[in-house]
Amino acid sequence: EFVVGVDLGGTKIAAALFDSEGQLLNREQMETAGAQTAEEVVGRITAMIRSVSGGHPLRGVGMASPGTVNSREGIVIHGTNLPEWTNVPLKAWMERELHTEVQVLNDANAAAWGEYVRGAGRGSTNMVYVTLSTGIGSGIVLDGKLFLGSNSFAGELGHHIIDPSGPRCNCGSHGCWEVFASGTAIGHAASQRMLDQPSVIRELAAADGGVNAKHVFEAKRLQDPVAVEVIDRAIYYMALGLVNVIHSFNPDRIVIGGGVSRAGELLFPQLREMTDKLVMPSYLGTYEIVPAGLRDDVGLVGAAALFR
Ligand code: ADP
Ligand code: ZN
């Protein structure tokens, strides 16, 4: 019983073959750029799946796609990193080519399931996964099951509105959680703050051609005042969003992934402390906030684990 997981990223597409124990046997990836239409991309993905499975009979193929996904019908309604992707019937096309069952999930939901089954969510019952990345993505596991909602659109916690008078978000609303607490938000806030006050962040960022959250955390380690101020504020907003999550779902575990989670000890102790400070007292001690256990392949691991 073999399963293939596929992660359809904006920059790369990765596929991996797993055995029935969830052991990764083989992995391949390719650049997304170059193929223009959805049909071309799907053609390349099916070729990659055939290649990675090396003739093993497949029980199914799980796919993680960015953007809005109708998981019941396996249609990518709108792929955010894939400009040509609107209403692509991925499941139908791929099943026709591969003659095996295909499941399609939004990438954050797939990552949540991956962390739950194989990563830092193992052993929990109610888990919320939050990825602090370019934006904020999330997925929700309730009573041991991935919660997708009526249309499989559930889990857009990054677009919880934290402050309606806040800056505009890519989604069109104002003051979404990700506008205040994503990696992008941290980079922007530091750039703005540096207009009035010099900071070591500028030197750290010089080599990379622009300020991002990583530089701001590095500068915080050096006790740079701008970095300390920007990170304190971002962590306040991260915690505010987590408190909404805790009050909504009463999770026993919150797993934090994405690039920003790599800040590690510069992030987690302070995030836990701030969350404890803002949460309703009766919830204290009911949740853990832990870093993700899997890294880049979390989406395809989770998509494949749909067939476990
Ligand atoms: P994507 O959104 O493309 O999936 P990532 O999950 O890697 O990408 O998130 C990118 C964000 O993570 C950027 O804002 C980047 O600055 C930030 N980031 C990457 N590494 C670190 C780090 N070590 N510490 C803090 N932030 C980081
Ligand atoms: Zn939004």
Side-chain angles (χ1 to χ4, degrees), residues 132-261:
L132 302 173
S133 318
T134 308
I136 296 183
S138 64
I140 300 156
V141 175
L142 299 178
D143 286 329
K145 288 206 287 254
L146 185 63
F147 177 73
L148 293 175
S150 307
N151 297 76
S152 76
F153 301 163
E156 289 289 357
L157 300 176
H159 299 286
H160 268 194
I161 295 167
I162 295 273
D163 176 2
S165 63
R168 198 177 161 89
C169 177
N170 286 330
C171 75
S173 294
H174 285 260
C176 293
W177 191 22
E178 71 174 38
V179 172
F180 297 102
S182 64
T184 308
I186 294 170
H188 278 166
S191 303
Q192 284 303 112
R193 195 66 188 78
M194 285 191 302
L195 297 173
D196 326 314
Q197 195 179 325
S199 160
V200 68
I201 297 168
R202 198 172 299 288
E203 285 99 84
L204 294 170
D208 293 343
V211 175
N212 67 43
K214 187 165 176 244
H215 308 124
V216 187
F217 275 100
E218 279 168 16
K220 183 187 145 103
R221 192 197 302 280
L222 306 171
Q223 323 248 304
D224 172 73
V226 170
V228 169
E229 183 188 314
V230 167
I231 298 290
D232 282 355
R233 188 176 136 92
I235 288 179
Y236 166 72
Y237 278 107
M238 286 175 201
L240 209 57
L242 292 185
V243 165
N244 289 334
V245 167
I246 291 164
H247 292 159
S248 300
F249 301 108
N250 186 21
D252 54 272
R253 205 170 300 167
I254 296 175
V255 175
I256 310 280
V260 175
S261 72

